[in-house]
Amino acid sequence: MPSPSEPRATLLIVDDKPQNLRLMSDFLAEHGFDLMLTRGGAQALEKVRLATPDLVLLDVRMPDMDGFEVCRRLKADPRTASVPVIFMTAVDDTAHKVEGFGLGAVDYITKPLQREELLARIRHHLQLHRLQEELSSKGEDLALKNAELEAYGHTIAHSLKTPLAAANRFLDILYKFKADNLSEEQRHLLQQACGALEMTGEVVDALLLLSTVAQQSVEAQPLDTGRLVGQALNQLADLQARTRASVQLPKAWPPALGYGPWVGEVWLNLLSNALKYGGTPPRLELGGARDGQHVQFWVRDNGQPLSEEERTRVFIPFTRLHQERAAGHGLGLATVQRIISKLGGTVWVNAAPSGGNEFCFTLPAAPSSTPT
């Protein structure tokens, strides 16, 4: 009998031999199962349309429609695709088993059936199926909660932009018109306030981009990688000048597909990261190469190599590994990972061939073979 905590399960037994049905039904009924019995494949499919069982025991060899065809139709129907199917056969043939597993069966039992083995297999697959359903349900709940958090975070970040802009304008006015009347300590505090406000604005912008990427669907288009990299370097010109960094670019870029504004943010974040945490002075090498159906891009630097443990953490939001080197919010590389994943690629970090670190990402390759 099933334990009080176990839900009562319904089994569909399909066998064209009445004596087999009788033996199995008597035994399984004694162990607390509800039963649906049928002697043919077409009849079985009709019963399933009326009520979905928790598990199907299915004879392979039947005259009107064999078990393989019944299983094929069950798995093709979304309503019954997840129902476990156990084949019963008198033929202990490997090819039969391979075909059945290929159709989606979870197990095979060879006739003549051993009662205790039959019961053990049924209970095992019922429990496994329940666990899979629970996991699927929890995954759906988690996805819904994550979507709600993304929407909430987007709303909060968007709401902060207006007061932050107002506070920034106020500090600009104060510094522009009242700086001469302030003491050196007061001017220093005012500069600190401006810097903190700028950092807060960057965090808000990063959070908005993260949530936008999660919620928005975009169509991949051929990218002008040279233009995107050039725009990112222009935005980072002051940082490049302060660090006296050198940047080596390829003669041409392999064609790839993506969404330009997002991929531009990827290059901006990777280049900013390399300039901040590269060597003294930073030496950057950029490149790309086609690899099958994808294009792999990279940014190599001469900075302190990350440990294996640090490489596993570097793309986690709000993770900052070298806070003493540069100010930041720990969202840049998390944004890179989310964008690349949304565009059908992957991102990772290796030790660079000549020392330092190599940040890589892939994007789908464009049909054209002409580099950009």
Side-chain angles (χ1 to χ4, degrees):
M1 296 292 291
S3 68
S5 61
E6 289 182 2
R8 193 175 178 95
T10 299
L11 309 180
L12 170 63
I13 308 176
V14 189
D15 196 309
D16 63 326
K17 301 292 191 296
Q19 63 271 29
N20 290 341
L21 285 177
R22 185 173 60 254
L23 288 172
M24 283 187 287
S25 62
D26 290 346
F27 173 68
L28 294 173
E30 289 176 4
H31 286 83
F33 294 103
D34 293 327
L35 303 174
M36 301 162 60
L37 308 177
T38 178
R39 294 175 57 186
Q43 193 178 25
L45 295 173
E46 185 61 32
K47 282 183 176 290
V48 167
R49 277 192 283 270
L50 298 175
T52 303
D54 296 300
L55 182 143
V56 178
L57 290 169
L58 183 58
D59 189 20
V60 172
R61 291 189 170 181
M62 295 183 292
D64 62 334
M65 180 188 298
D66 68 17
F68 292 146
E69 181 59 27
V70 175
C71 183
R72 186 180 292 108
R73 296 191 188 189
L74 288 173
K75 295 304 176 182
D77 187 338
R79 296 171 299 176
T80 56
S82 65
V83 175
V85 175
I86 298 178
F87 276 124
M88 303 178 294
T89 179
V91 181
D92 189 10
D93 182 89
T94 300
H96 260 71
K97 293 181 179 180
V98 170
E99 183 177 358
F101 287 131
L103 292 172
V106 296
D107 211 342
Y108 252 94
I109 301 179
T110 304
K111 296 179 179 179
L113 303 177
Q114 302 298 316
R115 289 185 170 190
E116 295 306 320
E117 179 188 4
L118 173 65
L119 183 62
R121 289 179 185 270
I122 289 172
R123 285 177 170 169
H124 169 74
H125 287 294
L126 284 173
Q127 182 183 27
L128 184 61
H129 182 57
R130 291 190 191 108
L131 291 174
Q132 288 172 335
E133 287 190 323
E134 288 177 13
L135 183 61
S136 176
S137 177
K138 289 179 180 178
E140 291 173 359
D141 290 343
L142 182 60
L144 179 60
K145 290 176 181 177
N146 282 340
E148 291 173 349
L149 283 173
E150 292 283 0
Y152 181 70
H154 186 276
T155 300
I156 294 297
H158 194 272
S159 299
L160 286 172
K161 286 189 70 67
T162 299
L164 283 173
N168 193 51
R169 285 196 301 272
F170 174 77
L171 289 178
D172 283 343
I173 292 171
L174 183 62
Y175 192 82
K176 183 175 182 179
F177 295 103
K178 299 295 183 180
D180 292 342
N181 299 326
L182 301 176
S183 66
E184 184 176 343
E185 181 181 2
Q186 289 171 331
R187 283 196 296 271
H188 178 66
L189 290 174
L190 184 59
Q191 290 173 342
Q192 285 187 319
C194 290
L197 197 60
E198 182 181 358
M199 177 66 70
T200 304
E202 291 177 358
V203 172
V204 168
D205 289 340
L207 286 172
L208 281 171
L209 180 58
L210 273 174
S211 60
T212 298
V213 171
Q215 298 175 40
Q216 185 178 345
S217 296
V218 295
E219 183 179 352
Q221 300 287 343
L223 296 170
D224 186 346
T225 302
R227 182 178 64 84
L228 295 175
V229 171
Q231 290 175 342
L233 288 173
N234 285 339
Q235 288 181 254
L236 297 169
D238 289 344
L239 178 58
Q240 183 178 350
R242 289 200 307 272
T243 58
R244 295 177 290 109
S246 61
V247 180
Q248 179 181 339
L249 299 173
K251 295 180 179 179
W253 293 96
L257 296 175
Y259 181 58
W262 287 0
V263 178
E265 288 291 335
V266 168
W267 282 111
L268 182 65
N269 279 295
L270 291 180
L271 289 169
S272 174
N273 185 76
L275 291 171
K276 290 176 182 177
Y277 302 107
T280 308
R283 294 193 306 274
L284 277 56
E285 179 190 342
L286 282 58
R290 180 154 183 163
D291 183 11
Q293 298 302 309
H294 287 77
V295 173
Q296 179 178 324
F297 297 100
W298 60 81
V299 175
R300 296 168 181 161
D301 63 47
N302 61 330
Q304 177 183 339
L306 297 175
S307 67
E308 187 172 342
E309 188 269 338
E310 288 174 328
R311 291 177 203 159
T312 64
R313 294 172 47 217
V314 72
F315 295 103
I316 299 174
F318 301 106
T319 297
R320 296 193 58 224
L321 300 178
H322 301 292
Q323 301 185 36
E324 73 283 354
R325 292 287 306 276
H329 42 65
L331 287 172
L333 294 178
T335 302
V336 168
Q337 184 179 54
R338 182 166 293 189
I339 288 174
I340 295 302
S341 177
K342 191 70 177 280
L343 295 176
T346 54
V347 60
W348 68 96
V349 57
N350 295 320
S354 57
N357 299 291
E358 178 185 58
F359 284 83
C360 305
F361 66 93
T362 63
L363 288 171
S368 171
S369 59
T370 305
T372 58

